[in-house]
Amino acid sequence: MIDEREWRETFAGSFRGDVKFGVSLKERTSLAIGGPCDVLAEPGEPVSLRNMLVVLEPMGIPFFTIGGGTNILVRDGGIDGVVISLRNLSRIEVIREGNADAELFVEAGVGLQRLVNFCKEKGYAGIEGLAGIPGTVGGAISGNAGSYGCEMKDVVVSVAVMDSAARLDRQAASAMGFGYRRSGVRPGELVLSANIRLARDEPQAVSSRTEGFFNEKKKTQPLAERSAGCVFRNPANGPAGRLIDEAGCKGMRMGGVEVSGVHANFFINRGSGTAADYQHLMDEVVSVVHRRFGVVLEPEIRVVGKT
Ligand SMILES: Cc1cc2nc3c(=O)[nH]c(=O)nc-3n(C[C@H](O)[C@H](O)[C@H](O)COP(=O)(O)OP(=O)(O)OC[C@H]3O[C@@H](n4cnc5c(N)ncnc54)[C@H](O)[C@@H]3O)c2cc1C
């Protein structure tokens, strides 16, 4: 536990950025569920992040990195220590533009849809399928976000990663251990930025593909509701959403959380939902699907914090 006075004494002069205390993580997650964190720190630049990390570890203060909060379930007891958001690291720069392709430097706090729109306007092809996925570039790299056959790993050239002792490393994409909804980014490591490579195309063509994917997503996913995206990973024998649907779970409800009627792998917070409701519903769906198909669903969302 670190309080406001201790924070100010420890970091006076060495941290530039935004700091808030006792913030409810309901305000920082797309589910609008989650208890508070002791400190929410949003460094203004990497040096302040570094200055903070070198002190937190020896002081034994834990930290958790949050992006857009669109793929996590924060438990009702909240998160001890410091929640770090990199949303102030929000630069997109074109570092090379050739005839056939272009390379961009993108910071972790850039909204994924801001990047998708930037590429649409410039005629940079490769991430059209990511249209409509909320969250940040840091979160998309950490979980290798993807849809419509397009994954973040397809465009990443290298990633700048800082570890909990504030050591900075640049890793080639081939060394990142990307796989289905995962990367080699370990707990305690922070993605600061990435270089990504995209093919050049007519802006009109990129725009039309992006809009096509976005329209498809709007039809098949409850984009406007409070969810954390897909709850479960797709097992080997088909989409988790289809199994949940065929097991008859659409509309199933625990407290304020309900299985979406639009896409069964999305759980919706109807307003008063808690993390406990969400986890009870997960347990119930896992057990119904197991009884019906003999398949054990594994979570895709990351569950963090204390009960
Ligand atoms: C309506 C809706 C639709 C969605 N559709 C899709 C989809 O089609 N495909 C898909 O893949 N996902 C989808 N998602 C899930 C989610 O949007 C993505 O997984 C997204 O990439 C998560 O990014 P985030 O910034 O919100 O990460 P968060 O949810 O904040 O964090 C997720 C994980 O990444 C880690 N993390 C975040 N930022 C960093 C960083 N800078 N460095 C290190 N670790 C970090 C966190 O610690 C956490 O473990 C959807 C979600 C919603 C709500």
Side-chain angles (χ1 to χ4, degrees):
M1 174 77 182
I2 178 165
D3 62 21
E4 187 163 353
R5 189 183 53 79
E6 195 178 3
W7 177 277
R8 304 239 178 262
E9 281 171 9
T10 310
F11 293 108
S14 71
F15 182 90
R16 276 204 316 116
D18 304 305
V19 189
K20 289 184 184 149
F21 299 87
V23 175
S24 166
L25 292 167
K26 285 182 185 175
E27 297 163 18
R28 294 302 185 119
T29 58
S30 54
L31 265 173
I33 285 178
C37 60
D38 299 333
V39 183
L40 175 68
E42 303 183 317
E45 18 70 25
V47 173
S48 289
L49 172 65
R50 191 188 163 280
N51 290 347
M52 178 173 62
L53 290 177
V54 291
V55 173
L56 291 183
E57 187 159 85
M59 284 174 84
I61 297 171
F63 70 86
F64 172 75
T65 311
I66 195 167
T70 66
N71 206 209
I72 53 172
L73 174 68
V74 179
R75 292 194 184 92
D76 300 314
I79 298 181
D80 281 338
V82 181
V83 169
I84 301 175
S85 158
L86 301 183
R87 71 174 179 180
N88 291 329
L89 307 188
S90 59
R91 272 186 308 147
I92 303 179
E93 275 172 31
V94 179
I95 49 179
R96 184 183 58 78
E97 193 173 62
N99 288 333
D101 62 7
E103 195 163 323
L104 310 186
F105 167 84
V106 190
E107 287 188 308
V110 169
L112 187 60
Q113 290 316 295
R114 191 180 138 217
L115 179 64
V116 167
N117 287 333
F118 181 88
C119 292
K120 197 170 91 171
E121 279 158 26
K122 293 274 191 181
Y124 297 155
I127 57 169
E128 297 92 319
L130 305 184
I133 302 180
T136 61
V137 166
I141 289 173
S142 160
N144 186 26
S147 83
Y148 301 115
C150 166
E151 290 178 299
M152 203 59 206
K153 73 170 176 51
D154 301 336
V155 297
V156 170
V157 176
S158 61
V159 181
V161 178
M162 190 174 269
D163 70 13
S164 58
R167 287 180 294 245
L168 188 59
D169 187 22
R170 179 163 288 281
Q171 298 177 8
S174 55
M176 286 287 297
F178 283 121
Y180 167 58
R181 299 296 170 270
R182 68 174 163 75
S183 72
V185 178
R186 290 184 288 265
E189 288 183 336
L190 296 100
V191 171
L192 298 196
S193 64
N195 284 21
I196 64 172
R197 187 178 299 133
L198 300 137
R200 294 199 62 196
D201 197 351
E202 289 303 320
Q204 187 55 41
V206 179
S207 177
S208 137
R209 286 194 295 272
T210 306
E211 294 307 321
F213 286 125
F214 185 49
N215 288 334
E216 190 54 33
K217 208 174 246 300
K218 277 195 289 194
K219 275 191 244 156
T220 53
Q221 295 184 3
L223 295 188
E225 311 235 46
R226 296 190 194 101
S227 84
C230 287
V231 184
F232 300 104
R233 299 164 69 82
N234 290 329
N237 55 337
R242 203 187 67 216
L243 298 181
I244 300 168
D245 187 1
E246 288 176 4
C249 297
K250 269 189 177 170
M252 188 185 271
R253 184 167 177 153
M254 291 284 169
V257 181
E258 190 176 283
V259 177
S260 166
V262 178
H263 190 310
N265 202 13
F266 282 62
F267 290 3
I268 310 298
N269 175 11
R270 290 290 173 217
S272 57
T274 62
D277 294 339
Y278 195 100
Q279 287 196 287
H280 286 149
L281 192 57
M282 285 176 78
D283 292 345
E284 191 54 29
V285 167
V286 166
S287 123
V288 173
V289 168
H290 184 245
R291 278 202 303 275
R292 174 86 159 75
F293 297 109
V295 172
V296 180
L297 294 174
E298 301 285 344
E300 178 176 315
I301 56 153
R302 304 198 202 176
V303 182
V304 295
K306 56 188 186 182
T307 47

